[in-house]
Amino acid sequence: MRDTSLSWQKKLAQGFASVNELLTFLELPLSIGNLHAEKQFPSRVPIGFAKRMQKGNPRDPLLLQVLATADELLASKDYRVDPLEEHDNTPIRGLLHKYHGRVLLTLTGVCAVNCRYCFRRHFPYQDNNPGRNGYQAICKYISQDNSISEVILSGGDPLLASDVLLTELINQLEEIPHLHTLRIHTRIPIVFPERIDKGLLSILKNTRFKKVIVLHCNHTQELDDSVREVLHELQQVGCYLLNQAVLLAGINADARILADLSHTLFAYGVLPYYLHQLDKVKGASHFDLPFDTVQSIYKQLQNLLPGYLLPRLVCEEPGKLSKTLLI
Ligand SMILES: *Cc1c(COP(=O)(O)O)cnc(C)c1O
Ligand code: SF4
């Protein structure tokens, strides 16, 4: 059973906010962390997620996703601050309209966890949050374009927005007749399931929208009973669950690991959706893989899985009208 005695905000605040605290908790030498890297992009790891790591293992696949290391300081000219050029693609504060039929809203700049490979590590989302006052401009934009049928809440992690804010936004969106789907891109049910409380479940249960939640889980070890429980609750209030993963050197760049992830996700009621090639973001080059390795892993994966458990291998390219299928 989940401990419901504290608000989720308080539980989140108890998480690890420094690489040294995290390494001490995991009984690992502090020398494998790097404070300069942490200065560029702060450490942030919920306690429950750290508890799924293996103590004393410096190669733990969950740890490597969140550990600030000296590798992040390697300069490499192909790895840029804004690889997706999204900075220029925002007609209205907090709204990205790149793809036909759907708009993406960046509700908040923060996440429950800071993944070291994230393109967000340099993106000034803080300057791009719509805030309450921005919702009106967003809704006006959407209501004037009836080709838009789906709103995607993204971030940062949109589920860090308060229930009050989410309710207000969803209520306003519900008044737009041509909208029928609400999609939420979130890593929270995986890294901080405590957030999925009764209030949030009731918001999701009561909306008229079709609901799709796209999770972000890269390795089976991220899934435990606390995650299973909230995924079940999300399905019970009518959410379709999909997953996106990022292919990461040293973490999941192996067909058997990815096949295992797909099977476990399915057992938890989640279908694999995307497998992303890493965005070439400055500070993340050590997670990248040569393209022929990516192709070879994906072909092996294809041979291991039924079609419905095979995620689509994609990357995002600036200026394209959809994600790019790589195979
Ligand atoms: C990924 C993405 C979407 C959603 O694309 P789907 O192919 O529908 O998953 C929408 N807008 C932006 C800006 C995106 O990056
Ligand atoms: S949860 Fe998603 S958006 Fe947030 S840091 Fe991780 S990859 Fe980036």
Side-chain angles (χ1 to χ4, degrees), residues 202-265:
S202 109
I203 293 171
L204 292 169
K205 187 172 180 175
N206 292 318
T207 172
R208 72 166 174 87
F209 290 131
K210 288 263 179 234
K211 296 155 298 233
V212 179
I213 297 189
V214 181
L215 304 161
H216 172 183
C217 174
N218 298 314
H219 194 286
T220 304
Q221 198 182 313
E222 291 170 46
L223 300 164
D224 70 358
D225 285 343
S226 66
V227 178
R228 182 195 286 268
E229 195 180 322
V230 299
L231 296 182
H232 182 69
E233 287 169 339
L234 288 168
Q235 290 168 82
Q236 283 193 318
V237 297
C239 299
Y240 294 94
L241 303 182
L242 304 173
N243 185 61
Q244 48 187 343
V246 183
L247 196 56
L248 297 164
I251 292 167
N252 62 7
D254 177 304
R256 278 160 311 174
I257 290 176
L258 292 169
D260 190 46
L261 174 62
S262 276
H263 282 296
T264 311
L265 285 167

Side-chain angles (χ1 to χ4, degrees), residues 41 110-121 155-157 186-188 191 216 246:
F41 186 45
V110 281
C111 287
V113 66
N114 279 349
C115 312
R116 308 310 297 183
Y117 50 84
C118 182
F119 70 96
R120 193 182 62 87
R121 54 183 293 145
D157 202 308
T186 175
R187 191 150 160 63
I188 288 232
V191 299
H216 172 183
V246 183

Side-chain angles (χ1 to χ4, degrees), residues 123-242:
F123 198 94
Y125 280 120
Q126 280 80 351
D127 310 337
N128 198 32
N129 292 338
R132 260 203 178 88
N133 300 333
Y135 291 176
Q136 230 172 345
I138 285 173
C139 289
K140 187 165 171 222
Y141 179 92
I142 299 171
S143 61
Q144 286 170 349
D145 183 346
N146 63 15
S147 73
I148 301 169
S149 60
E150 174 171 7
V151 168
I152 302 171
L153 306 186
S154 184
D157 202 308
L159 293 187
L160 283 190
S162 69
D163 290 357
V164 173
L165 227 73
L166 287 169
T167 305
E168 256 177 51
L169 176 63
I170 292 172
N171 285 346
Q172 289 183 44
L173 291 171
E174 278 177 338
E175 285 173 25
I176 304 172
H178 51 266
L179 278 184
H180 54 66
T181 303
L182 178 72
R183 190 195 318 185
I184 302 178
H185 282 184
T186 175
R187 191 150 160 63
I188 288 232
I190 307 294
V191 299
F192 184 57
E194 294 92 331
R195 163 66 181 107
I196 315 300
D197 56 11
K198 286 209 163 59
L200 180 65
L201 290 166
S202 109
I203 293 171
L204 292 169
K205 187 172 180 175
N206 292 318
T207 172
R208 72 166 174 87
F209 290 131
K210 288 263 179 234
K211 296 155 298 233
V212 179
I213 297 189
V214 181
L215 304 161
H216 172 183
C217 174
N218 298 314
H219 194 286
T220 304
Q221 198 182 313
E222 291 170 46
L223 300 164
D224 70 358
D225 285 343
S226 66
V227 178
R228 182 195 286 268
E229 195 180 322
V230 299
L231 296 182
H232 182 69
E233 287 169 339
L234 288 168
Q235 290 168 82
Q236 283 193 318
V237 297
C239 299
Y240 294 94
L241 303 182
L242 304 173

